[in-house]
C-alpha cells in the first residue's frame, strides 16, 4: 500500500494521520521534558562536584591536613594531632577519588596528580616528625625542612572546576540545541500533517459537493430519460391513434367525393356531399391543431416563478364568461397561497379543465363548477392541491387512468360533445413536468372531480434538480 493510499480519507486509514500528529506532539513534550531533566541532572552533578571540591579544599587547607600538620610540628608530644592528620589525609584521598569520579560522570576524564602528591607528601612527613624531633631539630627547622607548597593542588582543583563548568555549559547548550531542533522538526511535521488533514478535509468536502452535483445531474438525466421515454411512448400512441382517427374522416371525404361524381347532375345532392366532406375536413383540422398544441405545450420545459394561485384561477374563469352566461353555469372559487410554477403552463391546464367542466354537462342541468386551491395539511411551503369539481356527465372509475392518454374520448355520443381527447393528456404532461400529480377522484359521485398536487416554495431546490 502506497503512502498516497494511506492518506486517502476512508475507513480506519483516516485516523492514521491524526494519530501521527498526536505522536509528534507527544514527542515534543517528551523532548522538552528530556532536555529539562538532562539539564537539571548536569547542573546537579556540577553542583555536587563543586561541593566535593570545596570540601576537599577545606580538608587540605588550614582547617584540615595542613592545620594538623602544623599543630603536630609544634607539639610533637601530642599524638592526637598525628592521628588527626592521618585521618585528614585519608579523607582528602577519598575526596580526590570522588572528585575524579564526578568529573568523569560529567564527561571530563582527569587525574588530580598534584593534589595526590600533596596528600601523600604530608602523610609521609607526618611519620618523619617524631624522628626529626628526637634528632634535636627545632620547630622552625622542622617547618623549613618539611613544609610543602600546596598552591599547585589548590590551583589544580580550581582549574578542574573551571573546565567542568565550561564542559557542562557546552553540554547543556548542545542538549538544548538538539531539543530545539527536534521540536522544530516535530512542529514542522505537525504543521505539515495538519495542513495535509485540512487539505484532505477540503478535498473530501469538494468531492462530496461534486458527488451531490453528480447525483443532481443523474437525477436530471433520469428525469430527462423518463420524459423522453414518455414522449416516445406518446409518439407511438400518436402514430397509432392519429392514423386511426385520420382514416375515418379521410374515408368519408373519399366517399363523399365519389358520391359527388355520381350525383354530379343533382345540385342538391352535391351540396349535401360537399357539406359532409367539409365537416370531415374540419374534423381533421381540429385534430391536427390539437396535436400541434400538445407538442408545443406538453414538451415545453417549465420556467418556474412564484405565483399567487387565486388571481391565476380568476383570470382563467374570466376567459369563460360567455359560455358561463350561455349555460347559466355557477362557478365558485376558494383559493389562497402561492406555488412555484410556470404561469402559462398552469393556466393552460386550468383552462382545459375548466373547458371540460363546462363542455361535458348533463342535458338540461346548468354546470356547477367548484374550484378549491389550498395547502395540504395546512402546511405552507409543502404542497398545494387544486381540486376542480363539476356536476357533469362524469368519468367511469374503470377509465380514470385511460382518460389521461392522448386522443381518448370515452363518452358516448361524440357528435354531442366536441373535442379531440388531448386536454387531459396535456394537463398530465404539464403537471408531471412540475413534479406534481394529477388524478381523477374515484370516490366522487354526481360529476367529475380532478385533483392536482403541485410543489410549493420549499421544493424549489428539488424542482431545480429535476428540471
Amino acid at each position: 500500500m502506497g503512502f498516497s493510499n494511506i492518506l486517502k480519507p476512508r475507513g480506519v486509514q483516516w485516523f492514521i494521520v491524526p494519530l501521527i500528529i498526536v505522536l509528534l506532539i507527544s514527542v515534543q513534550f517528551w523532548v522538552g521534558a528530556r532536555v529539562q531533566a538532562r539539564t537539571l541532572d548536569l547542573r546537579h552533578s556540577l553542583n555536587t562536584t563543586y561541593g566535593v571540591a570545596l570540601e576537599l579544599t577545606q580538608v587540605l587547607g588550614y582547617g584540615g591536613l595542613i592545620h594538623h600538620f602544623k599543630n603536630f610540628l609544634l607539639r610533637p608530644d601530642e599524638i592526637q594531632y598525628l592521628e588527626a592528620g592521618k585521618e585528614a589525609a585519608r579523607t582528602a584521598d577519598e575526596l580526590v577519588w570522588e572528585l575524579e569520579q564526578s568529573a568523569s560522570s560529567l564527561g571530563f576524564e582527569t587525574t588530580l596528580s598534584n593534589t595526590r602528591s600533596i596528600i601523600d607528601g604530608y602523610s609521609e612527613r607526618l611519620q618523619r616528625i617524631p624522628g626529626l624531633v628526637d634528632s634535636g631539630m627545632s620547630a622552625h627547622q622542622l617547618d623549613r625542612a618539611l613544609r610543602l607548597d600546596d598552591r599547585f593542588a589548590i590551583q589544580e582543583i580550581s582549574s578542574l572546576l573551571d573546565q567542568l563548568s565550561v564542559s557542562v555549559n557546552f553540554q547543556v547548550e548542545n542538549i538544548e540545541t538538539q531539543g530545539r531542533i527536534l521540536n522544530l522538526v516535530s512542529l514542522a511535521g505537525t504543521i505539515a500533517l495538519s495542513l495535509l488533514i485540512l487539505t484532505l478535509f477540503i478535498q473530501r468536502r469538494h468531492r462530496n459537493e461534486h458527488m451531490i452535483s453528480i447525483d443532481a445531474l443523474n437525477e436530471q438525466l433520469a428525469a430527462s430519460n423518463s420524459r423522453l421515454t414518455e414522449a416516445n411512448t406518446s409518439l407511438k400512441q400518436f402514430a397509432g391513434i392519429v392514423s386511426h382517427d385520420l382514416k375515418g374522416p379521410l374515408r368519408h371525404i373519399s366517399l363523399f367525393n365519389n358520391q359527388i361524381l355520381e350525383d354530379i347532375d343533382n345540385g342538391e345532392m352535391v351540396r349535401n356531399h360537399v357539406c359532409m366532406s367539409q365537416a370531415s375536413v374540419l374534423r381533421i383540422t381540429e385534430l391536427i391543431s390539437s396535436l400541434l398544441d400538445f407538442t408545443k405545450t406538453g414538451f415545453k420545459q417549465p420556467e418556474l416563478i412564484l405565483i399567487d394561485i387565486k388571481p391565476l384561477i380568476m383570470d382563467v374563469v374570466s376567459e369563460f364568461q360567455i359560455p358561463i352566461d350561455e349555460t347559466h353555469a355557477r362557478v365558485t372559487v376558494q383559493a389562497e397561497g402561492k406555488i412555484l410554477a410556470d404561469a402559462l403552463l398552469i393556466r393552460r391546464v386550468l383552462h382545459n379543465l375548466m373547458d371540460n367542466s363546462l363542455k361535458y354537462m348533463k342535458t338540461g342541468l346548468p354546470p356547477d363548477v367548484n374550484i378549491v386551491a389550498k395547502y395540504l395539511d395546512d402546511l405552507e411551503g409543502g404542497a398545494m392541491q387544486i381540486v376542480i369539481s363539476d356536476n357533469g356527465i362524469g368519468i367511469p372509475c374503470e377509465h380514470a387512468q385511460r382518460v389521461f392518454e392522448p386522443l381518448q374520448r370515452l363518452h358516448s355520443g361524440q357528435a354531442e360533445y366536441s373535442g379531440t381527447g388531448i386536454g387531459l393528456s396535456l394537463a398530465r404532461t404539464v403537471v408531471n413536468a412540475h413534479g406534481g400529480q394529477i388524478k381523477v377522484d374515484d370516490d366522487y359521485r354526481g360529476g367529475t372531480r380532478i385533483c392536482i398536487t403541485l410543489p410549493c416554495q420549499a421544493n424549489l431546490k428539488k424542482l431545480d434538480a429535476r428540471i
Side-chain angles (χ1 to χ4, degrees):
M1 179 181 295
F3 186 69
S4 60
N5 290 330
I6 293 178
L7 295 180
K8 288 183 179 179
R10 61 185 184 187
V12 179
Q13 294 177 357
W14 175 247
F15 297 99
I16 293 179
V17 175
L19 179 60
I20 295 176
I21 290 179
V22 172
L23 291 177
L24 288 175
I25 295 175
S26 301
V27 167
Q28 293 182 44
F29 284 107
W30 179 83
V31 169
R34 185 64 179 171
V35 168
Q36 184 178 12
R38 180 57 179 159
T39 301
L40 290 176
D41 184 58
L42 287 173
R43 298 293 185 190
H44 176 73
S45 298
L46 182 61
N47 291 335
T48 301
T49 303
Y50 270 106
V52 173
L54 178 62
E55 185 178 359
L56 177 59
T57 302
Q58 292 174 348
V59 170
L60 287 177
Y62 288 95
L65 179 58
I66 296 175
H67 174 75
H68 297 310
F69 176 80
K70 286 285 187 179
N71 286 333
F72 187 56
L73 186 67
L74 296 174
R75 291 179 285 276
D77 55 333
E78 297 183 12
I79 196 65
Q80 68 271 18
Y81 291 115
L82 174 63
E83 296 300 328
K86 291 180 180 180
E87 180 63 26
R90 285 193 297 270
T91 302
D93 193 59
E94 292 175 357
L95 290 174
V96 168
W97 179 86
E98 186 176 350
L99 185 60
E100 291 175 344
Q101 293 300 313
S102 296
S104 178
S105 67
L106 293 172
F108 192 84
E109 300 294 338
T110 186
T111 301
L112 299 175
S113 55
N114 292 330
T115 306
R116 287 187 181 277
S117 297
I118 293 295
I119 295 172
D120 294 340
Y122 274 118
S123 298
E124 185 268 333
R125 281 166 173 73
L126 282 173
Q127 300 296 330
R128 290 172 56 191
I129 288 176
L132 294 175
V133 171
D134 292 340
S135 67
M137 293 182 68
S138 65
H140 179 70
Q141 291 174 333
L142 288 173
D143 183 60
R144 291 181 60 185
L146 299 177
R147 171 179 289 275
L148 291 174
D149 189 357
D150 58 359
R151 290 178 299 173
F152 296 106
I154 301 301
Q155 290 177 357
E156 186 178 54
I157 295 172
S158 178
S159 176
L160 174 62
L161 291 177
D162 291 340
Q163 292 175 354
L164 286 177
S165 179
V166 172
S167 176
V168 167
N169 289 333
F170 180 75
Q171 292 182 56
V172 168
E173 185 177 352
N174 283 341
I175 291 172
E176 291 177 346
T177 300
Q178 293 175 5
R180 284 193 295 269
I181 293 174
L182 288 175
N183 281 333
L184 287 175
V185 172
S186 178
L187 179 61
T190 302
I191 293 175
L193 289 176
S194 298
L195 291 175
L196 179 59
I197 285 183
L198 179 61
T199 302
L200 292 176
F201 175 79
I202 293 174
Q203 289 179 349
R204 186 177 188 182
R205 183 175 179 179
H206 287 170
R207 187 185 66 175
N208 291 339
E209 291 176 353
H210 292 162
M211 291 300 297
I212 293 174
S213 299
I214 292 174
D215 290 341
L217 291 175
N218 287 335
E219 289 182 5
Q220 294 181 32
L221 181 60
S224 298
N225 290 336
S226 177
R227 288 195 296 270
L228 288 175
T229 300
E230 184 178 351
N232 288 333
T233 302
S234 298
L235 289 176
K236 290 180 181 179
Q237 291 175 342
F238 285 165
I241 297 172
V242 171
S243 174
H244 177 271
D245 282 19
L246 288 178
K247 283 181 180 179
L250 289 175
R251 283 197 302 268
H252 292 163
I253 292 173
S254 177
L255 175 62
F256 294 135
N257 287 339
N258 291 330
Q259 292 294 326
I260 290 173
L261 293 175
E262 293 179 2
D263 300 330
I264 191 65
D265 295 330
N266 189 335
E268 185 65 26
M269 294 297 295
V270 169
R271 281 192 296 271
N272 290 336
H273 296 327
V274 170
C275 289
M276 297 300 294
S277 180
Q278 287 178 339
S280 297
V281 171
L282 290 176
R283 171 62 182 165
I284 292 175
T285 301
E286 183 183 8
L287 179 60
I288 292 175
S289 297
S290 298
L291 292 176
L292 288 175
D293 182 50
F294 183 85
T295 56
K296 290 179 180 179
T297 305
F299 298 106
K300 179 185 176 184
Q301 292 293 337
E303 298 178 2
L304 302 180
I305 60 173
L306 194 61
I307 57 177
D308 195 337
I309 190 62
K310 186 172 183 178
L312 181 63
I313 294 176
M314 297 306 296
D315 286 345
V316 172
V317 172
S318 66
E319 295 174 358
F320 290 90
Q321 193 58 50
I322 294 177
I324 289 175
D325 293 339
E326 291 177 348
T327 58
H328 304 288
R330 186 170 70 99
V331 179
T332 58
V333 176
Q334 295 176 318
E336 60 179 351
K338 297 180 180 180
I339 57 174
L340 194 67
D342 188 312
L344 293 178
L345 294 181
I346 297 301
R347 175 189 291 270
R348 191 55 186 272
V349 171
L350 296 174
H351 187 281
N352 288 349
L353 296 178
M354 186 69 183
D355 183 57
N356 286 348
S357 294
L358 295 175
K359 181 191 303 180
Y360 298 109
M361 55 181 289
K362 293 180 179 178
T363 303
L365 182 63
D368 186 0
V369 183
N370 183 29
I371 303 175
V372 178
K374 63 178 181 179
Y375 293 113
L376 285 179
D377 299 330
D378 295 328
L379 295 177
E380 181 176 355
M384 174 176 285
Q385 188 178 62
I386 303 174
V387 179
I388 300 178
S389 308
D390 61 52
N391 61 343
I393 61 176
I395 299 174
C397 295
E398 61 270 20
H399 298 312
Q401 295 297 326
R402 183 184 171 192
V403 292
F404 293 105
E405 296 177 4
L407 303 176
Q408 295 297 321
R409 302 180 73 244
L410 306 178
H411 52 276
S412 60
Q414 293 190 10
E416 182 180 357
Y417 301 105
S418 63
T420 59
I422 292 294
L424 288 179
S425 178
L426 178 62
R428 182 184 65 174
T429 303
V430 171
V431 171
N432 289 345
H434 281 76
Q437 295 180 341
I438 183 172
K439 64 178 182 178
V440 176
D441 187 354
D442 297 339
D443 298 328
Y444 185 71
R445 298 292 180 267
T448 301
R449 173 177 287 170
I450 303 294
C451 300
I452 301 173
T453 303
L454 292 173
C456 296
Q457 301 177 52
N459 290 330
L460 173 59
K461 293 183 179 180
K462 182 178 178 181
L463 285 171
D464 285 342
R466 295 189 57 171
I467 296 173

